[in-house]
Amino acid sequence: MTAPWHVSDALAARYASGSAPEPDAWSLEKHVEVCGGCAARVSAAVRAGGSGPVLADVRAALLDTVRAETAAAPPRRVGLRPRPALSPASRWARILWAAGPALRGAWLVAVLVVVAAAVGLAYGAGFQEARPMLLALAPVLPLAGVAVSYGRHADPMYEIGVATPSGGLRLLLTRAAAVLGVCVPVLTSAGALLPPVTGVPGAAAWLLPGLALTLAALALGSFVGCRAAALTLMGGWLLAVTGPLLGQPGAAAELARLLSGPAAQGGWAAAAAACAGLLALRRRSFDHLETR
């Protein structure tokens, strides 16, 4: 431990005249940042030196200019300006921009391609499995939007967003809601337009499973990040449900067992509630930067 030191009158005079060695000048400048007494001693030495009159003239001229501008300026009322009302178009534009990269990137195009392919196969090629295929894929399509809407891998403004009061879970939920706001009407409408198939659930049967999987991705994302969580659940769903069902005999009945009926819908609702509760408990984890 070195003993504390202070600027002497001789060092202050040498510094004011410009004759202090460079290491001494650096040490002095660093020291006066935290020592008010030494800062006052150095200031007095500068004012007493040859630069004193010049600095006094500059200070006096600056004060005269400020006084003149203040006297000439009209009195100004201090206060917050009223916030202009936003038009509906501006409000929707801000909501879409807050939705993040998901609605401004390739995910939206991918959803529209899946829907167009299902409709085209059903009506253009007479493909009877178009409706089961869309219903089997629909629950995990929102997960892809969540994966590319939040996190350091997807959002170039992620670090800034986390540091803001509206960042973290609030921003994540806003973007997830925007993703669902696109998926729900597009996929449900497309499912309703497809030709009905005996034994296949209705167009809205995927809503509760899709909500449960989205909340599961958000809850799991509090541990491993949104991208890893969404990719894990998507892969698991495709391997366990979509792949084995498509093109297999009895797929319609199995799909109906998984998506529709009081037991299945009740189970998905319970899963959604459990994931929402876990997400509420883990809400503070989104206030920290992702490490993966």
Side-chain angles (χ1 to χ4, degrees), residues 7 22 24 36 55 61 76 97-99 102 110 143 154 156 180 201 211 246 263 277 286:
V7 179
E22 192 170 0
D24 293 344
L55 294 176
R76 191 170 53 178
W97 184 258
L143 301 185
L180 292 176
L211 177 62
L246 294 182
F286 295 100

Side-chain angles (χ1 to χ4, degrees), residues 27 70-71 78 100 136 141 145 154 203 223 290:
S27 299
T70 304
V78 179
L141 287 177
F223 296 96
E290 292 180 356

